[in-house]
Amino acid sequence: MSHYDLETKCLHSGYTPKKGEPCALPIYQSTTYKYDTTDEMGQLFDLKAEGYFYTRLQNPTNDAVAAKIADLEGGVAGLLTSSGQAANFYAIFNICEAGDHVVAASTIYGGTFNLLGVTLKKLGIDCTFVDTDASAEEIAAAFKPNTKVLFAETIANPALVILDIEKFAKVAHEHEVPLIVDNTFATPVNCRPFEWGADIVTHSTTKYMDGHAVQVGGAIVDSGNFDWDTYGHKYHGLTEPDESYHGVVYTKQFGKKAYITKATTQLMRDLGSIPSPENCFLLNLGLETLPLRVERHCENAQKVAEFLDAHEKVSHVIYAGLPGDKYHDLAQKYMDEGRTCGVISFELTGGRDAAVRFMDSLKLANIATHVAASKTMVLHPASHTHRQMNDEQLREAGVSPGMIRLSVGIESAKDIIKDLEDALKNA
Ligand SMILES: *Cc1c(COP(=O)(O)O)cnc(C)c1O
């Protein structure tokens, strides 16, 4: 499908029905698959033949959607997981083990920050966080001989920092490690990190890809560009025999699909974070309209950001679509037509009390701990995600008491702005 435009791939990649087969991707709601002889199935267990045998490892519905997302990103292979958290965990754990080290941008999603800073540490994998805006030299200074991965987000959730992907890719490759980029907020509609040097991309498909807030899921896509064999001493799990599969050497047997095959056959086999086929079906419906929705989210967010920026009760708006935003130039460089996402942060001059009055006066926007869905959603970090912190701690965390996080939906921009305008009267 690689010669088609992204809009076409969103509808047709991953599943091509033959004569008399359903046009809609079928849900293969089956754990197991039938074989005729003992040997036929034995071949599958040795990874000598391709085929389905148990849904924890592979399922036709899941595989079709994974292939679609891989095609959208321009990668060679993809794997779906039961959540974005599982995707980032697998992406890193597939090439890191106890005694290894990761360098990561500090502005990443809170769940990933904990995964790297707390949970992976318990497994013996250390992490050094670097300022996303740091110079190449400063990022390089965080590397150690045992560093195996550089990790960052294209658009940081919720900080809305835009990644200088080329800068990060250059540092990673100078240190002979892959760059893993979480592309959740940008989606391949706005940015394809492989085109800028990233090696592996991850997603929380829970956000724009699904878009309707009906399934939690994740995805990993490999560009196939990182040369594991050349750095085989570091990535021996890919380049040396896997005794748990009768001595399979992933790079030898699977070539460019080595990384995704290992994640499937080892990590899914042993840890099992698979999405249900039904969730993959729902995700696929979301993907079919992704380009339309992302365009509308960005168009609406731009109008909302401009409205808020001009409002007397709003002291500051963070949105890379605004010419004055710190990340406007990076967005222009890396994002198609400079479009980023539908999420905006803004600050009310009246502080915490004004923020609460504003939130409680909204009629259309839902108060919800979710972003990047079709309906407009709003959150007050000081009352919700960062509730346990006092004002001073909030400031240290870069969250001010009057800050609002707004995920602009695809309703009419006029109705969204009217809702905000009315609520601001009470702020
Ligand atoms: C939401 C999110 C995650 C976690 O994904 P879940 O699907 O909630 O597990 C990871 N990274 C980013 C950028 C996110 O926005």
Side-chain angles (χ1 to χ4, degrees):
M1 286 275 159
S2 52
H3 60 288
Y4 285 120
D5 283 340
L6 184 129
E7 290 81 353
T8 310
K9 289 179 180 181
C10 278
L11 288 151
H12 293 280
S13 285
Y15 175 66
T16 313
K18 298 188 198 72
K19 184 180 148 192
E21 290 182 349
C23 291
L25 172 66
I27 305 175
Y28 285 85
Q29 194 74 29
S30 181
T31 56
T32 42
Y33 307 82
K34 173 190 172 288
Y35 288 90
D36 290 334
T37 68
T38 317
D39 189 52
E40 271 176 1
M41 196 145 98
Q43 297 280 325
L44 300 175
F45 277 91
D46 275 352
L47 301 182
K48 288 200 176 117
E50 268 189 52
Y52 295 100
F53 58 104
Y54 192 55
T55 281
R56 167 148 46 75
L57 285 142
Q58 282 189 298
N59 170 286
T61 308
N62 300 17
D63 284 3
V65 183
K68 177 179 282 188
I69 294 175
D71 203 21
L72 297 179
E73 286 288 4
V76 294
L79 170 68
L80 298 186
T81 57
S82 55
S83 68
Q85 284 302 111
N88 282 325
F89 173 51
Y90 279 28
I92 294 164
F93 197 56
N94 200 31
I95 44 173
C96 288
E97 60 190 31
D100 288 343
H101 176 252
V102 174
V103 177
S106 60
T107 47
I108 53 176
Y109 176 71
T112 316
F113 190 83
N114 266 319
L115 170 69
L116 287 164
V118 181
T119 301
L120 282 182
K121 204 169 234 158
K122 293 179 188 166
L123 296 175
I125 299 165
D126 262 331
C127 180
T128 303
F129 291 103
V130 292
D131 186 338
T132 316
D133 297 333
S135 68
E137 292 71 30
E138 288 168 304
I139 300 165
F143 277 72
K144 302 178 185 182
N146 59 340
T147 304
K148 300 288 174 73
V149 166
L150 180 60
F151 183 92
E153 290 174 5
T154 12
I155 304 175
N157 174 15
L160 303 180
V161 170
I162 311 281
L163 183 69
D164 187 341
I165 308 172
E166 284 185 323
K167 176 179 75 181
F168 268 65
K170 187 163 172 285
V171 178
H173 298 155
E174 277 169 5
H175 292 82
E176 302 172 347
V177 310
L179 171 64
I180 302 181
V181 168
D182 181 332
N183 196 32
T184 298
F185 265 27
T187 83
V189 174
N190 287 343
C191 178
R192 285 140 330 264
F194 295 157
E195 293 172 3
W196 305 98
D199 300 286
I200 292 154
V201 158
T202 60
H203 282 279
S204 164
T205 62
T206 317
K207 313 292 164 53
Y208 289 115
M209 282 193 170
D210 164 357
H212 302 79
V214 292
Q215 63 92 48
V216 172
I220 308 171
V221 179
D222 183 11
S223 67
N225 293 336
F226 194 81
D227 186 357
W228 309 107
D229 274 324
T230 301
Y231 311 113
H233 59 290
K234 283 192 193 175
Y235 303 103
H236 59 88
L238 284 158
T239 60
E240 288 173 14
D242 176 0
E243 293 315 326
S244 73
Y245 269 116
H246 306 288
V248 160
V249 175
Y250 291 99
T251 49
K252 269 213 190 101
Q253 190 159 335
F254 300 102
K256 286 197 176 297
K257 293 190 175 172
Y259 172 88
I260 290 293
T261 304
K262 178 178 179 289
T264 305
T265 56
Q266 275 185 355
L267 301 185
M268 275 303 175
R269 179 194 62 189
D270 299 346
L271 303 170
S273 313
I274 56 137
S276 71
E278 191 165 345
N279 270 2
C280 294
F281 172 84
L282 293 169
L283 169 59
N284 187 53
L285 286 185
L287 288 168
E288 291 195 353
T289 57
L290 183 69
L292 290 174
R293 289 184 291 102
V294 165
E295 198 180 315
R296 178 66 168 262
H297 276 291
C298 295
E299 198 184 291
N300 280 359
Q302 184 68 29
K303 289 179 188 161
V304 169
E306 285 167 12
F307 161 78
L308 291 169
D309 200 38
H311 200 283
E312 57 183 12
K313 288 189 180 172
V314 176
S315 59
H316 185 56
V317 180
I318 299 175
Y319 188 65
L322 295 174
D325 190 88
K326 191 176 167 189
Y327 297 102
H328 185 72
D329 292 346
L330 284 176
Q332 292 296 324
K333 173 172 175 179
Y334 290 111
M335 310 280 154
D336 291 5
E337 294 168 47
R339 291 187 318 229
T340 54
C341 63
V343 182
I344 297 174
S345 284
F346 64 98
E347 166 100 36
L348 293 178
T349 49
R352 182 189 288 265
D353 294 343
V356 173
R357 283 197 304 273
F358 164 77
M359 297 275 294
D360 291 346
S361 307
L362 289 165
K363 294 209 164 60
L364 180 66
N366 293 333
I367 296 178
T369 317
H370 189 49
V371 289
S374 302
K375 293 173 185 162
T376 295
M377 295 183 183
V378 65
L379 183 92
H380 179 220
S383 300
H384 305 132
T385 47
H386 296 65
R387 187 179 183 83
Q388 276 70 26
M389 297 182 179
N390 61 36
D391 285 4
E392 195 181 324
Q393 287 170 323
L394 281 176
R395 262 185 289 276
E396 278 171 15
V399 175
S400 50
M403 184 189 268
I404 308 274
R405 188 180 76 184
L406 178 68
S407 177
V408 179
I410 57 174
E411 301 95 339
S412 125
K414 186 176 119 271
D415 290 339
I416 299 169
I417 290 172
K418 177 77 167 61
D419 191 35
L420 297 172
E421 195 171 24
D422 289 347
L424 280 166
K425 286 184 187 135
N426 296 328

